[in-house]
Amino acid sequence: MADPVIKSYEPHHESRSAAVTESRPVQLLLMAVAFAFLAIFLLLPLIIVFHEALAKGFGAYTESLSNPDTRSAIRLTLLVAAIAVPLNVVFGISAAWAIAKFEFKGKAFLTTLIDLPFSVSPVISGLVYVLLFGAQGLFGEWLRAHGIQILFAVPGIVLATVFVTFPFVARELIPLMQEQGNGDEEAALSLGANGWQTFWYVTLPNVKWGLLYGVLLCNARSMGEFGAVSVVSGHIRGLTNTMPLHVEILYNEYNAVGAFAVASLLAGLALVTLVLKTLLEMRYGAEIAATRGH
Amino acid sequence: MEVRVANVRKEFDRFPALHDVSLDIKSGELIALLGPSGSGKTTLLRLIAGLERPTRGKIFFGQEDASHRSIQERNVGFVFQHYALFRHMTVADNIGFGLKVRHGPSRPPAAEIRRRASELLDLVQLSGLEKRYPAQLSGGQRQRVALARAMAIEPKVLLLDEPFGALDAQVRRELRRWLREIHDRTGHTTVFVTHDQEEALELADRVVVMSQGRIEQVGSADEIYDTPNSPFVYSFIGESSTLPVKVEDGEIWIADRPIGLSAPHAPSGEAVLYFRPHDVELLDGCSGCIAGTVAASRRVAGTRRVELEIGGERQRVEIELPVDHPAAQKSRVAFRPRRWKLFPAA
């Protein structure tokens, strides 16, 4: 899995001297390779998604989207994102604050743990919950005795999604907060602000672009997560199917238009995320660069 | 507001940054904490502010023990080394921040906060820059905004951490004079940290010289320069030259020759002679003097620095001569320090 928190590449044209600039043909070749790669592996699939979705006309497209099972999948996906993203914002800010602003035992361990979901296959992330909450799982009996359904229900899907997406906000904020240090907070305290005011007026504005960035990525991932959710969802139509799972079901039923119509929504989400991210960078590029210091 | 630091010790992870430091700061005084990096001067300042808690000892504000008061309760104005201005707030909002975060009736209305901010901007000579952001200001201007922000809360004590450290020499000198003026006008008890002795000696009423977590000497600029009480202060403040000497019956000797200086109260034995390179008397003959062969001679601005090799052990010592002094042309120079001090050999 690619590391989604890699910082956007910032060219430094002015710092490059003529001596290290490649010759024109080499430049062209490099650009051609990059563009060809993007076209084949990114652009082409995207076009195909929309092409297939609209293969039988716009009517069939909207019709397959208004299918009740599809609607329920969309609703569930939105619900899961609406729970997972705020949770991860709270967790991300707390973790970043703890790691960046003070020293404690187990800090390195916590930092490593935050990266865990990136290094673990999403299927394993899902299986962990099966082992914990499944019928034969650690808490399975207790849960059944109390009539609590976690697996094959919304709570399980939310848990799996939170697990998979929790590094996004934290990883975005930690380097940012570490870079900024404690100076501004100390200044606010010395001026009489209490902890909450310091956070609200000083810390949060200092990291807001990084936070927004993290939220965008976190949201995109929580809506698009397949592996972990697939393991815990149980694939009950109209109940525990999220959009990515629904795409698979429809596709396996040879309902290409339906599958690609839902896929086009996910692709659309990805595009919107990309556009928002680019807009943010354009509009607030200087400010983002100033606060992140990369 | 008087500030009294009483037997304060501060450890970071068991590593002592300050050992048993005591200091009385008088009300309205402008005081400098001067020392090399690692001397504990910033730690002492942060302890006074309440940004750190002492491991042992107490800090009094007036008669009141403030050791366990939080920084908010201490009401100190702190100017940070890199200013720590809030980058997303305008200059006016930065200055008004301390008033805005107050609670209840002590919080002035918005219009009053704006008025206070403008007033303070006048005081720091930056009127008209209310709407600017910190990124749009020069280093010197940021420094002034940081000071205005600290003064907005009407602090009992003003604390400045290396206030001019990040500025270039010219701006630094200008701001130094300006800070003195502000201090004289407002009368705040002010403590600032610096590693620049010129800054400390020029600006402060009293200078606290620190080294390795201890206070070496406290005194006016003249006292510190003219009567340093330790080898550290002698060599840290101003230029100094040293020579290993021997004391016998109150007379000072270098190798087998007396140099014409007497120290009647010094114990006999090995010692080190300290003197200022410019504060020497050049002699023609040499019966009772320090004589040496010129090893190097450099012209530095208005003076000539001559390095001499003294005695059989080839001790090198530096003295300063007027540029046009004939002695600079000779290969052998004899002199005697006018003012000097003996410290026991380490």
Side-chain angles (χ1 to χ4, degrees):
Chain A
M1 182 168 62
D3 183 346
V5 193
I6 284 173
K7 296 299 177 296
S8 59
Y9 158 74
E10 284 163 45
H12 295 284
H13 299 292
E14 60 283 355
S15 65
R16 296 199 62 181
S17 68
V20 293
T21 301
E22 293 76 11
S23 64
R24 197 68 193 151
V26 177
Q27 286 184 14
L28 287 176
L29 181 71
L30 287 173
M31 284 191 278
V33 168
F35 275 112
F37 195 86
L38 282 177
I40 294 168
F41 289 97
L42 291 176
L43 205 55
L44 202 57
L46 201 60
I47 292 168
I48 288 172
V49 165
F50 284 98
H51 179 261
E52 289 292 320
L54 295 165
K56 293 186 182 158
F58 199 67
Y61 177 76
T62 51
E63 197 179 310
S64 60
L65 283 185
S66 54
N67 173 296
D69 287 350
T70 305
R71 299 225 136 184
S72 129
I74 294 171
R75 262 199 308 275
L76 181 60
T77 295
L78 291 178
L79 174 70
V80 168
I83 299 171
V85 172
L87 276 180
N88 279 328
V89 168
V90 172
F91 166 78
I93 292 175
S94 323
W97 184 287
I99 288 171
K101 308 273 176 182
F102 43 82
E103 297 297 324
F104 55 93
K105 272 191 183 154
K107 181 163 155 172
F109 185 59
L110 181 61
T111 315
T112 315
L113 267 191
I114 287 173
D115 284 344
L116 191 68
F118 281 156
S119 50
V120 166
S121 158
V123 177
I124 311 288
S125 323
L127 272 177
V128 170
Y129 289 103
V130 175
L131 292 176
L132 281 178
F133 304 124
Q136 274 77 47
L138 206 53
F139 304 112
E141 217 142 299
W142 187 88
L143 288 171
R144 199 172 41 233
H146 290 78
I148 301 168
Q149 180 79 20
I150 288 183
L151 230 47
F152 313 129
V154 176
I157 296 172
V158 171
L159 281 176
T161 307
V162 168
F163 180 88
V164 172
T165 55
F166 83 58
F168 286 88
V169 176
R171 280 277 299 258
E172 197 63 31
L173 291 184
I174 289 166
L176 190 57
M177 285 185 164
Q178 272 174 338
E179 170 81 27
Q180 292 177 350
N182 284 337
D184 284 13
E185 280 77 14
E186 285 185 341
L189 293 175
S190 79
L191 292 167
N194 60 33
W196 176 247
Q197 288 170 322
T198 302
F199 174 74
W200 194 249
Y201 292 127
V202 175
T203 308
L204 202 56
N206 275 347
V207 300
K208 64 184 168 196
W209 300 119
L211 182 62
L212 207 57
Y213 214 75
V215 166
L216 268 180
L217 291 175
C218 178
N219 183 54
R221 184 63 197 272
S222 64
M223 289 190 174
E225 175 54 28
F226 180 85
V229 170
S230 172
V231 176
V232 297
S233 127
H235 305 268
I236 308 167
R237 274 182 187 236
L239 276 180
T240 64
N241 258 355
T242 60
M243 285 164 77
L245 301 183
H246 197 57
V247 171
E248 194 205 18
I249 289 188
L250 291 174
Y251 188 76
N252 287 343
E253 290 171 349
Y254 303 104
N255 183 353
V257 170
F260 281 107
V262 180
S264 74
L265 288 184
L266 283 171
L269 168 77
L271 288 178
V272 168
T273 305
L274 208 64
V275 169
L276 277 179
K277 181 172 158 283
T278 312
L279 280 180
L280 270 180
E281 275 172 359
M282 273 163 57
R283 173 77 178 73
Y284 300 104
E287 211 173 324
I288 292 171
T291 49
R292 75 171 35 206
H294 280 256
Chain B
M1 175 68 64
E2 287 162 29
V3 177
R4 191 152 64 83
V5 178
N7 306 97
V8 161
R9 180 182 177 85
K10 176 65 184 173
E11 296 172 2
F12 292 107
D13 295 331
R14 300 252 183 88
F15 175 79
L18 284 180
H19 312 260
D20 197 34
V21 164
S22 295
L23 177 66
D24 283 331
I25 299 166
K26 297 181 201 116
S27 189
E29 197 174 26
L30 179 54
I31 209 163
L33 305 181
L34 173 65
S37 51
S39 59
K41 54 193 193 303
T42 295
T43 304
L44 180 55
L45 192 78
R46 289 171 65 87
L47 280 163
I48 296 173
L51 285 165
E52 309 283 354
R53 296 290 163 91
T55 310
R56 263 211 313 273
K58 287 187 169 158
I59 291 164
F60 293 90
F61 277 38
Q63 295 304 310
E64 184 195 4
D65 181 1
S67 314
H68 294 284
R69 300 236 154 194
S70 69
I71 180 164
Q72 290 103 327
E73 293 167 321
R74 286 191 200 190
N75 195 25
V76 293
F78 200 102
V79 177
F80 291 83
Q81 188 175 2
H82 300 289
Y83 323 132
L85 293 178
F86 307 130
R87 64 204 102 187
H88 58 279
M89 291 184 202
T90 62
V91 165
D93 288 343
N94 262 287
I95 298 175
F97 183 83
L99 300 173
K100 191 179 118 182
V101 295
R102 285 189 185 168
H103 290 287
S106 64
R107 175 184 166 159
E112 168 69 11
I113 296 179
R114 266 201 305 279
R115 200 185 56 75
R116 290 271 302 146
S118 297
E119 242 175 54
L120 282 161
L121 270 182
D122 282 346
L123 180 69
V124 299
Q125 298 160 4
L126 289 177
S127 326
L129 298 188
E130 282 89 344
K131 295 260 156 60
R132 296 272 191 95
Y133 284 89
Q136 298 166 311
L137 302 178
S138 71
Q141 289 173 329
R142 281 179 214 177
Q143 175 61 55
R144 290 164 190 234
V145 173
L147 185 66
R149 182 177 71 175
M151 290 198 298
I153 60 170
E154 287 156 346
K156 296 176 191 158
V157 183
L158 206 50
L159 305 170
L160 302 95
D161 187 6
E162 297 269 2
F164 313 119
L167 303 170
D168 53 56
Q170 184 125 21
V171 181
R172 198 187 279 204
R173 231 164 302 170
E174 221 169 86
L175 277 184
R176 211 185 280 168
R177 223 164 297 143
W178 168 82
L179 180 67
R180 181 76 230 186
E181 276 172 34
I182 296 247
H183 175 265
D184 292 346
R185 210 172 329 154
T186 59
H188 281 120
T189 306
T190 307
V191 184
F192 72 99
V193 158
T194 181
H195 62 264
D196 180 347
Q197 46 170 300
E198 199 186 310
E199 200 165 284
L201 297 179
E202 186 183 323
L203 193 52
D205 296 325
R206 283 197 303 157
V207 178
V208 178
V209 185
M210 297 186 66
S211 162
Q212 298 183 340
R214 288 190 174 82
I215 291 181
E216 292 277 340
Q217 190 170 2
V218 183
S220 69
D222 291 350
E223 286 164 7
I224 296 278
Y225 187 82
D226 292 337
T227 53
N229 67 0
S230 70
F232 172 81
V233 178
Y234 214 122
S235 49
F236 185 67
I237 306 286
E239 302 272 319
S240 66
S241 290
T242 60
L243 270 175
V245 295
K246 224 181 300 170
V247 182
E248 260 168 48
D249 303 328
E251 285 295 314
I252 299 174
W253 296 61
I254 288 179
D256 51 352
R257 296 155 57 106
I259 57 172
L261 300 176
S262 54
H265 302 298
S268 294
E270 305 271 306
V272 182
L273 178 73
Y274 280 76
F275 61 94
R276 304 286 182 200
H278 64 88
D279 207 2
V280 295
E281 178 185 5
L282 293 171
L283 303 166
D284 285 334
C286 193
S287 55
C289 69
I290 304 171
T293 337
V294 175
S297 163
R298 284 168 289 129
R299 164 86 189 262
V300 180
T303 61
R304 183 175 293 282
R305 292 204 184 139
V306 180
E307 219 174 290
L308 300 176
E309 272 180 4
I310 311 276
E313 283 162 45
R314 321 208 123 223
Q315 278 295 332
R316 286 204 168 196
V317 66
E318 199 175 74
I319 60 171
E320 263 178 46
L321 304 178
V323 172
D324 48 2
H325 197 283
Q329 310 306 324
K330 294 193 215 157
S331 63
R332 219 174 145 68
V333 174
F335 72 96
R336 196 186 292 143
R338 279 201 200 91
R339 260 190 289 191
W340 47 271
K341 200 158 167 142
L342 270 187
F343 290 104

